[in-house]
């Protein structure tokens, strides 16, 4: 029995399957933005002891309010004034959730710095309307708050 024709067919099928997998993976990647593009973070110091966090949220994407965490290493933040969220029923969590679209801006007072520069750990989570929810995103931010001996710099 000559196995060469059979091996050629198997090899051809494997190459076809690999090509289809590559096409479908690249089509999936084209459908969804990287999380850093979908939820662009910027941070600015707005006072000696205050910062502004801003997420520019891409069209077709949203962020959950209850998934946000702000932690100052060894310190604390004061009360945050949250903008009014949109409410929607989320099938993933099977409950009503609060979300933000387009832009989320938070003014955050720092009440105790921990150390200088101030190390902020920010966690948030968002989803695409097309059905993809990203894992929680964590950003490390170093803040040179002048009210705590810093130089006025921000490093993300």
């Amino acid at each position: 029995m000559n196995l060469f024709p059979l091996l050629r067919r198997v090899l051809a099928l494997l190459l076809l399957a690999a090509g289809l997998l590559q096409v479908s993976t690249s089509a999936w990647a084209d459908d969804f933005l990287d999380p850093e593009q979908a939820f662009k973070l910027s941070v600015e110091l707005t006072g000696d002891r205050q910062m502004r966090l801003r997420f520019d949220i891409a069209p077709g994407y949203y962020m959950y309010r209850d998934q946000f965490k702000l932690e100052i290493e060894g310190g604390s933040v004061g009360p945050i004034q949250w903008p009014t969220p949109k409410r929607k029923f989320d099938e993933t969590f099977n409950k009503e959730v609060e979300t933000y679209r387009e832009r989320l801006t938070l003014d955050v007072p720092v009440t105790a710095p921990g150390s200088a520069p101030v190390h902020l750990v920010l966690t948030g989570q968002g989803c695409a309307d097309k059905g993809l929810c990203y894992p929680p995103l964590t950003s490390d931010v170093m803040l040179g708050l002048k009210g705590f001996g810093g130089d006025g710099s921000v490093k993300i």
Side-chain angles (χ1 to χ4, degrees):
M1 177 176 196
N2 188 355
L3 291 177
F4 187 69
L6 179 62
L7 288 175
R8 280 188 13 198
R9 286 183 188 163
V10 169
L11 182 59
L13 286 173
L14 287 173
L15 289 172
L16 177 64
L20 290 174
L21 180 62
Q22 184 176 4
V23 167
S24 68
T25 301
S26 113
W28 181 87
D30 290 344
D31 285 346
F32 298 104
L33 296 173
D34 288 334
E36 293 79 18
Q37 293 174 310
F39 316 106
K40 290 181 184 175
L41 171 65
S42 62
V43 181
E44 68 177 305
L45 302 181
T46 56
D48 290 345
R49 296 177 180 216
Q50 184 158 323
M51 67 184 128
R52 176 168 291 144
L53 305 174
R54 178 175 160 168
F55 283 93
D56 289 315
I57 304 168
Y61 292 79
Y62 59 92
M63 296 187 82
Y64 293 109
R65 179 174 184 212
D66 67 349
Q67 297 298 319
F68 274 96
K69 293 180 192 164
L70 296 169
E71 299 171 323
I72 299 281
E73 191 172 274
S76 60
V77 297
I80 299 170
Q81 297 297 317
W82 289 86
T84 303
K86 303 282 185 203
R87 295 186 60 81
K88 72 173 223 139
F89 184 79
D90 190 299
E91 306 224 352
T92 302
F93 296 111
N94 200 31
K95 67 177 185 176
E96 285 283 320
V97 295
E98 296 177 329
T99 63
Y100 295 100
R101 292 183 177 272
E102 296 177 20
R103 179 173 296 134
L104 171 61
T105 303
L106 300 173
D107 289 319
V108 182
V110 177
T111 55
S115 62
V118 176
H119 180 204
L120 168 72
V121 178
L122 172 64
T123 304
Q125 184 178 18
C127 298
D129 289 334
K130 293 180 183 177
L132 173 70
C133 281
Y134 295 88
L137 308 169
T138 300
S139 300
D140 287 302
V141 182
M142 299 304 283
L143 304 166
L145 290 162
K146 291 183 178 181
F148 301 112
D151 61 1
S153 66
V154 174
K155 294 178 187 154
I156 299 177

